[in-house]
Structure formats: C-alpha cells, structure tokens
C-alpha cells in the first residue's frame, strides 16, 4: 500500500490480463474489520453489512428478499435515483415472468429464450438482451476410445446440426460460430475459421477412416439445471443424440444432481462427453482459454495436454502488446478448432425483461451491474 488511496501490485510473473482481471467483481474491496468481527457468518443473512455503496442494507429474509434503502450520504451526486431497492428470490423463470407481468417486480433476469414472444406481446414489458459473453459447449473426452481419435471428434462436430439447434432453442438470441471465445473478443479470434457445417456424409467418412464404420456407443451427460448458455439442457441433448444417431453413434443420455455433475466430471476418468459452459470473469481471452485448455484446466477432458497451446497461452499472458496477443490467440483458436475437444455450440445473449416504467438499466456482459442509475416512472 503506497498511501491511503493507492495500492501497488508486484507480480511474480507477467500477466497481461491483470488490469481486466482486477476489475472483476470478486476483487471488490471488503472491510477486514467487518470480516474479522463477523467470522464465519460474514456474507450471510445474520451478519452485519458495511460499505460505501449507493444503498444501505436494511433486511434479509432468507429465500425471499433483500431490502436496501437509499444511502443519503452516497458520494455521487444524484444517485441513487430510487428510495428503495428490493431484490427478490424467484427460482422459476415462468414465475418471474408472471410476477413481472403482474407488476409485482419491475425487472428480472435469466429468462428462457422461448419466453421472448410472451414478453414482446405485453405492451407493458420490454425484452432486454444481455451481451453474449459466454460459451455453451459439448466436451469430448479424449481419455476414452474412440474419442481419443481426432477424426472421431471432428465427425461428431460434422454430425451435429449446430446452426439449426441454436436457431431452434435460442432464436435470435444465440450465435453459432467456430470460436470458443465470444463475439466481444473477436480481436483475438482467427478470421479464417468456419464453423463445422452439418455434413453427415463427411462424418461417416471420418468414422470409417478411424475404424468405426458401424459407429459406437457414447454416454452424453446433460446438465440438470438451466444456465444462460444452455437454458433447456435436456431437449438440446436430445437433439444432439438424434443427429449423432443418424451417423451411427448410439447415445445414452445421462444426468445427475448439479453439484455432483460438476464435481464428478473431474473424477478420473470423467464423463465420455458432457454439456457445460462458461461466462467470462473478465474481458480478456485469457478468461476463456486458460481455465479450459491451460495447465490444470483439462482434468475433465482426460488431462489433455498440448505443449504448443500451453506455450501460446503463456506467451499471451506475458506480452502486453494487443496486436501480438491477437496473433497468439488466433493460433490457439486454430489449434482448438482442429482438435474439437470442447465444441463451441452457442454464444448466448441471456434474455432479461423489464417493465417500460424502468429507465437506466444497462445490463453488463459480465452479469453484474450497478443499480444506482435506474429510475422508475
């Protein structure tokens, strides 16, 4: 700490994404005094709340709501614009939309794409799309035969009607492209790549060349819960299975409790194939590539290793020149497209909605935004 308002960071090694990473919400400044005082209860309903934000904590009803009131001494003049903020916990998307339509809540998040028509048909509501900063993918574990053969993984990519699936389940809220990183990071993508087009004949040729002319059995795990990148996991998985069966791959769909689903995929030998996704923590390709393809990030796909990818990712962290980093990540993009380990199915724009009486709500790609600029007519 240089002085009361300046902190100096000394890194053990270069990390070009550090300025972006340090701006992540989980690096928010917390009070050491409050943490020590609250102990294990810090951050829970029974704990104290401290801070310098636009709202003052008043009440937390577990499982129901958090009540905040305007901070009269907030440093920014004219903010917040409302006297009170009530955050409700409503798990079911249908129930959230019903309460929005009834005026019981003013805006909401994480709705299903198939609810857009209902929103647009209500003259009191307005649909809002959060910018796509995620990826929903199908992981293929090369720790299993026949998935250890890249031709088989590519065959699966060709067998899937990816563009049609995205259109069917996301409408105009989904993007299918060849990149693991989302559109806002286009500067780091390889423009020469094209998404795997649906080509069952090519898929069959690749399977035959790999020695699987008669196909094979495949376990495909789908998530038991809706996520921004896969809002309807089971029917999407069923579409995958139908496409794969057309080229001779006999799919056995499986799922389990969400916590176990996440944990067990990393227990050797892991799942054969599974659906999962990622929303970036910060605005840099490092946030997508390193956790999924860097050292220690591939335990759920048979501890796959590629020395060239590791080298390029580390070089991307070590150089601060954006043009140089773009070339490095473009090469990573090309290698991963060829390897077909985590097939990028969709970059989704999560569907949000608000009543037309709400102004000033600007959703962040990262999923967290301030509410002090929001006003209600």
């Amino acid at each position: 700490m240089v002085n009361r308002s300046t902190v100096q960071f000394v890194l053990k090694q270069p990390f070009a994404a550090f300025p972006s990473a340090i701006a992540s919400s989980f690096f928010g400044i917390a009070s050491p005094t409050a943490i020590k005082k609250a102990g294990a209860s810090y951050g829970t309903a029974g704990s104290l709340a401290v801070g310098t934000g636009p709202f003052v904590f008043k009440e937390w009803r577990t499982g129901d709501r958090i009540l905040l009131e305007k901070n009269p001494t907030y440093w920014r003049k004219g903010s917040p614009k409302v006297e009170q903020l009530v955050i409700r916990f409503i798990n079911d998307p249908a129930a959230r939309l019903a309460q929005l339509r009834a005026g019981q809540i003013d805006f909401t998040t994480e709705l299903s794409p198939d609810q857009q028509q209902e929103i647009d048909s209500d003259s009191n509501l307005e649909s809002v799309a959060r910018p796509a900063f995620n990826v929903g993918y199908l992981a293929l574990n090369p720790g299993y035969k026949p998935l250890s053969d890249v031709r088989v993984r590519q065959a699966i990519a060709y067998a899937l009607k990816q563009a049609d699936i995205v259109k069917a389940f996301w409408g105009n809220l989904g993007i299918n492209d060849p990149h693991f990183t989302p559109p806002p990071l286009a500067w780091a993508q390889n423009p020469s790549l094209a998404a795997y087009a649906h080509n069952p004949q090519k898929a069959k040729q690749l399977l035959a060349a790999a020695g699987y002319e008669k196909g094979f059995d495949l376990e495909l795990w789908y998530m038991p819960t809706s996520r921004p990148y896969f809002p309807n996991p089971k029917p999407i998985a069923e579409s995958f299975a139908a496409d794969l069966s057309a080229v001779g791959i006999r799919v056995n769909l499986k799922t389990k409790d969400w916590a176990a689903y996440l944990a067990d995929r990393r227990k050797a030998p892991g799942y054969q194939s599974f659906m999962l996704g990622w929303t970036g923590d910060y605005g840099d390709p490092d946030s997508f590539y390193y956790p999924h393809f860097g050292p220690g990030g591939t335990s759920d796909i048979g501890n796959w290793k590629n020395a060239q990818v590791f080298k390029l990712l580390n070089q991307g962290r070590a150089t601060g020149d954006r043009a140089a980093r773009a070339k490095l990540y473009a090469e990573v993009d090309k290698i991963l497209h060829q390897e077909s380990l985590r097939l990028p199915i969709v970059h989704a724009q999560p569907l949000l909605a608000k009543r037309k009486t709400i102004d000033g709500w600007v959703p962040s790609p990262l999923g967290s935004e301030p509410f002090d600029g929001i006003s209600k007519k």
Side-chain angles (χ1 to χ4, degrees), residues 286-333:
D286 182 84
S287 180
F288 283 82
Y289 283 139
Y290 218 89
H292 293 92
F293 302 102
T298 59
S299 61
D300 59 349
I301 50 172
N303 287 308
W304 172 84
K305 293 179 176 63
N306 183 297
Q308 180 65 5
V309 168
F310 288 0
K311 178 182 177 181
L312 291 166
L313 292 179
N314 284 325
Q315 288 177 333
R317 286 187 157 193
T319 178
D321 182 75
R322 177 159 159 159
R325 297 184 77 219
K327 292 180 180 179
L328 295 170
Y329 289 124
E331 187 61 25
V332 172
D333 199 8

Side-chain angles (χ1 to χ4, degrees), residues 124-197:
N124 295 312
L125 304 184
E126 183 178 328
S127 61
V128 181
R130 189 183 297 280
F133 199 65
N134 56 41
V135 61
Y137 61 83
L138 174 62
L140 305 175
N141 189 343
Y144 287 92
K145 287 186 176 182
L147 298 177
S148 57
D149 192 319
V150 68
R151 293 171 295 185
V152 173
R153 301 196 300 269
Q154 290 174 350
I156 290 174
Y158 280 116
L160 298 177
K161 299 175 184 175
Q162 297 185 40
D164 289 348
I165 290 172
V166 169
K167 183 65 177 177
F169 289 99
W170 286 268
N172 61 355
L173 295 171
I175 301 164
N176 173 244
D177 64 29
H179 314 291
F180 194 78
T181 53
L185 297 175
W187 64 268
Q189 296 172 350
N190 192 318
S192 69
L193 300 180
Y196 282 98

Side-chain angles (χ1 to χ4, degrees), residues 29-301:
I29 297 174
S31 166
T33 302
I35 294 172
K36 290 176 182 177
K37 183 177 180 180
S41 66
Y42 183 77
T44 66
S47 178
L48 73 165
V50 300
T52 58
F55 294 96
V56 177
F57 172 78
K58 299 301 291 185
E59 184 182 9
W60 185 343
R61 301 180 199 170
T62 304
D64 178 41
R65 69 187 60 195
I66 293 176
L67 176 62
L68 307 173
E69 292 184 352
K70 182 177 182 177
N71 182 354
T73 61
Y74 187 52
W75 61 270
R76 181 179 288 150
K77 297 295 183 182
S79 292
K81 298 182 182 299
V82 294
E83 296 295 322
Q84 187 180 79
L85 177 64
V86 180
I87 301 172
R88 294 279 312 280
F89 304 113
I90 309 169
N91 291 329
D92 181 52
R96 291 200 298 275
L97 182 53
Q99 293 199 26
L100 183 69
R101 297 190 70 172
Q104 296 171 313
I105 58 176
D106 295 301
F107 60 106
T108 189
T109 64
E110 310 306 340
L111 296 172
S112 175
D114 58 16
Q115 292 177 296
Q116 183 164 15
Q117 185 175 355
E118 184 179 354
I119 297 168
D120 294 342
S121 67
D122 191 321
S123 61
N124 295 312
L125 304 184
E126 183 178 328
S127 61
V128 181
R130 189 183 297 280
F133 199 65
N134 56 41
V135 61
Y137 61 83
L138 174 62
L140 305 175
N141 189 343
Y144 287 92
K145 287 186 176 182
L147 298 177
S148 57
D149 192 319
V150 68
R151 293 171 295 185
V152 173
R153 301 196 300 269
Q154 290 174 350
I156 290 174
Y158 280 116
L160 298 177
K161 299 175 184 175
Q162 297 185 40
D164 289 348
I165 290 172
V166 169
K167 183 65 177 177
F169 289 99
W170 286 268
N172 61 355
L173 295 171
I175 301 164
N176 173 244
D177 64 29
H179 314 291
F180 194 78
T181 53
L185 297 175
W187 64 268
Q189 296 172 350
N190 192 318
S192 69
L193 300 180
Y196 282 98
H198 178 56
N199 190 335
Q201 287 304 117
K202 179 71 171 178
K204 290 178 181 179
Q205 290 171 7
L206 287 167
L207 290 174
Y212 298 96
E213 187 173 1
K214 295 183 179 180
F216 59 92
D217 296 325
L218 177 70
E219 288 187 354
L220 195 165
W221 290 77
Y222 65 91
M223 307 176 320
T225 186
S226 173
R227 300 295 292 164
Y229 37 79
F230 282 134
N232 300 296
K234 185 177 181 180
I236 295 170
E238 290 170 342
S239 294
F240 290 162
D243 291 345
L244 294 176
S245 68
V247 298
I249 300 175
R250 299 171 293 277
V251 176
N252 178 19
L253 293 177
K254 307 189 76 171
T255 192
K256 62 173 63 175
D257 173 77
W258 182 226
Y261 183 95
L262 292 175
D264 290 353
R265 82 185 200 280
R266 294 193 179 276
K267 295 179 180 178
Y271 305 146
Q272 286 181 298
S273 65
F274 60 93
M275 292 166 59
L276 203 57
W278 181 262
T279 297
D281 291 320
Y282 48 91
D284 193 275
D286 182 84
S287 180
F288 283 82
Y289 283 139
Y290 218 89
H292 293 92
F293 302 102
T298 59
S299 61
D300 59 349
I301 50 172

